[in-house]
Each structure stands twice: as C-alpha cells, then as structure tokens.
Amino acid sequence: LAGPEVALHPRCFGQVWIFEGIPPEAWESLAGDLVRRRLSAGENLFQQGEPAENMWLIKAGSVKLWKTTEDGRILTLDIRKAGDLLGENVLMEDGGTYPVAATCLGPTVTCGIDRRTFESLVTRYPAVGLVVIRNLSRRIDHLSGKLGALSEPNLDDRLYEVLANVARDLGTRAPGGWTIAFPLTHEEIGFLVGAHRVSVTRALGKLRGTGRVRTAGKFLFVRDTV
C-alpha cells in the first residue's frame, strides 16, 4: 500500500469514471497537489458537518457512509470500495459541508483532490468541465439501473439483491458465492435495504432457510444466483 511519502501518479485520478476521457497531459502538473492518506479501521476520512474541501478516491480498502439524524439516530447509507469516489459534490458546490461521515471498515488508502486544484485544472483546460458533465450524466443512468434491487416488492428478494450487490462489490470470492468480510448489523442492513431491523431479521432467517445466505462466523456468505 502506498503511504503519503510515496509518489502517486496523477493518472490514478484520470482513470476514474468521472474524469474518463480527460487528456492525460491535463493531470501531469497535479502530482504534487494530490493528497495521500493512509487510514486504519474505524478511522474517519471525514466527519458529518466538516467543511467539504476534498474529493477522495479510495485506492484500497472500503468505507462506510453514515450520518446522525436530528433525533440522534445513526443511519448507515452506503458502503464504498476501492475505485469509488467520495465527496463528488465538492466539484459542484461553493463551500458547504459533508452531509455524511465516512468511516474506514479496514486499512484504507485514499488519494484526494481539493476544489481549488480542480477549478485551476478547468481554467487551464476548459474541455475538462464538459467531460465531467458528460460522465456525470452517464453515472446517473448507471445508478438508475442499480435501483432495480430496491424495487423488488418482496423483502426477501430485495434483501438478497442488496446483499448480493454488497458481496460482489466488497466481498471475498468463495466456492459458490461471496463472503462479506466485515460485520454488518441487522440495523445497518435495514438502512441499506429500506426496512425495519425486525423485518430484516425475519427476512434473513428465510434466506438462510433457502440457503441463499448463511452465517460464516461473524460474516455473511451470499450464494450466487442459480
């Protein structure tokens, strides 16, 4: 894993979906401006309400996005993996804060770019802004397709599809399926699937009964779709 002292080529950002198609030379001058961070499990990349100044690329590891509501409840919103971006909204907002917190689920390496550096890039290479807009439009189409998992009317099927997506994105390949190699509480799963914890417990029991999901120590094994 690269530490902060190791040189990181700017193309590590240029190959990310939001910057796909930007001329490589547009990144060459940015190597010294990229922010490298190496974090441990449980460490926060950023806090909810913290000034939003950087967009982060996860180079290794995984990160949980969560927030605290006004009534004090903690909501798990998403889990991001290596290759994913965090804080993309800083490219489109002037000031503001992070609406969620980002906590590392394991050892994690990130590379960041701040708003001023990106704005300087667009000033020097105006075509960069157009490329980003086109890529954001494609991303919206992609995310619309992923909503299919949450459109399943049956909670058992919806839960299986959400767990399968998490397992394929973040899990470890095993014979016949995938192991989600970090603990997920029933409450966290409930927020991911949009259901109450009690309903999630009941649905997980049914999935275990059919063999689609089973417990592997503290973790979950999700069987491949037959």
Side-chain angles (χ1 to χ4, degrees), residues 13 24 29 35-36 47 49 64 67 73 75 92 97 105 108 112 115 125 127 155 177 207 217:
F13 251 105
S29 63
V35 182
R36 295 89 169 165
Q47 297 268 22
K64 177 173 71 174
K67 70 178 299 181
R73 291 183 302 134
L75 306 181
M92 294 166 280
T97 60
L105 293 171
T108 301
R115 181 188 297 107
Y125 299 89
L155 178 58
L207 292 179

Side-chain angles (χ1 to χ4, degrees), residues 1-17:
L1 297 181
E5 73 283 354
V6 177
L8 191 59
H9 199 285
R11 288 184 187 174
C12 77
F13 251 105
Q15 294 170 346
V16 180
W17 64 266

Side-chain angles (χ1 to χ4, degrees), residues 121-137:
L121 182 70
V122 173
T123 299
R124 284 178 287 159
Y125 299 89
V128 168
L130 294 176
V131 170
V132 169
I133 291 172
R134 292 192 190 102
N135 289 339
L136 284 171
S137 297

Side-chain angles (χ1 to χ4, degrees), residues 7-95:
L8 191 59
H9 199 285
R11 288 184 187 174
C12 77
F13 251 105
Q15 294 170 346
V16 180
W17 64 266
I18 196 171
F19 299 126
E20 185 178 353
I22 291 177
E25 60 270 18
W27 293 101
E28 296 300 329
S29 63
L30 297 183
D33 297 320
L34 299 178
V35 182
R36 295 89 169 165
R37 292 191 65 184
R38 190 181 208 168
L39 304 102
S40 303
E43 192 172 353
N44 289 326
L45 179 61
F46 52 79
Q47 297 268 22
Q48 179 181 349
E50 182 179 304
E53 293 294 337
N54 290 281
M55 178 175 65
W56 299 97
L57 168 64
I58 303 174
K59 294 293 294 177
S62 55
V63 174
K64 177 173 71 174
L65 300 182
W66 59 279
K67 70 178 299 181
T68 303
T69 65
E70 291 183 0
D71 59 3
R73 291 183 302 134
I74 295 177
L75 306 181
T76 298
L77 303 173
D78 200 3
I79 297 171
R80 301 289 180 88
K81 65 184 186 304
D84 285 342
L85 289 173
L86 303 174
E88 303 96 313
N89 58 306
V90 306
L91 300 184
M92 294 166 280
E93 294 182 4
D94 185 12

